[in-house]
Amino acid sequence: MTLDEALAKYPGAATFRFADGDPGLNAELLALVRSGLKTATCQALSVYESGGETAPAVGRRDIALGSDGAPALVIETVSLETRRFDEVDESFALAEGENDSLEGWRRDHEGWFRRTCGFSPDMLLVCERFRLVEDFG
């Protein structure tokens, strides 16, 4: 399916790439969503406030792109919560599917935020839970 076809099928959908499009990590995260292990994601609130990305919205269906820009899958946001980094709990961390402990999630995400948008333990995150709607793979 082409991106134009996917956008026609899902009007109002935003497009995005997991991991800011880093090819290897994006592919890994898409695979985790496809397997059912990844049902959540988060981003710094400041990224949305600066206009760097389109903020998620409950009920909206969005198109995740592969690193080549082709539509990979469609997710639907089922819940959103704004939390401080240091208040993310184990349930949410494990739902991200990338780590097997809260400590591992904190370590990896702290490193990610330091590299991409800045980090502080009290930074606000938009914590999104989603469901897989369609897999174009």
Side-chain angles (χ1 to χ4, degrees):
M1 178 171 292
T2 69
L3 181 54
D4 286 341
E5 291 169 332
L7 288 168
K9 185 173 182 178
Y10 295 98
T15 61
F16 71 97
R17 288 179 176 91
F18 284 109
D20 291 336
D22 173 279
L25 188 52
N26 186 53
E28 179 182 324
L29 298 179
L30 289 170
L32 288 170
V33 173
R34 287 178 168 126
S35 74
L37 292 174
K38 183 171 183 61
T39 59
T41 192
C42 68
Q43 179 58 281
L45 177 62
S46 62
V47 171
Y48 299 125
E49 290 176 335
S50 71
E53 291 184 21
T54 302
V58 172
R60 191 178 69 207
R61 293 177 172 185
D62 294 326
I63 302 165
L65 306 174
S67 60
D68 61 357
L73 48 86
V74 177
I75 62 169
E76 180 180 350
T77 302
V78 296
S79 70
L80 291 169
E81 188 175 7
T82 302
R83 294 186 193 174
R84 289 170 35 136
F85 178 90
D86 58 7
E87 294 176 340
V88 170
D89 61 17
E90 185 173 55
S91 171
F92 184 83
L94 295 179
E96 282 217 43
E98 301 165 48
N99 300 96
D100 58 7
S101 69
L102 177 59
E103 294 75 24
W105 180 92
R106 285 186 175 151
R107 179 192 63 244
D108 290 352
H109 281 71
E110 178 179 339
W112 172 258
F113 289 125
R114 284 188 186 281
R115 288 188 307 275
T116 60
C117 63
F119 173 78
S120 71
D122 64 348
M123 68 187 290
L124 292 176
L125 302 179
V126 175
C127 298
E128 174 185 8
R129 290 187 184 261
F130 59 82
R131 70 179 188 89
L132 177 61
V133 173
E134 185 170 356
D135 185 350
F136 298 121

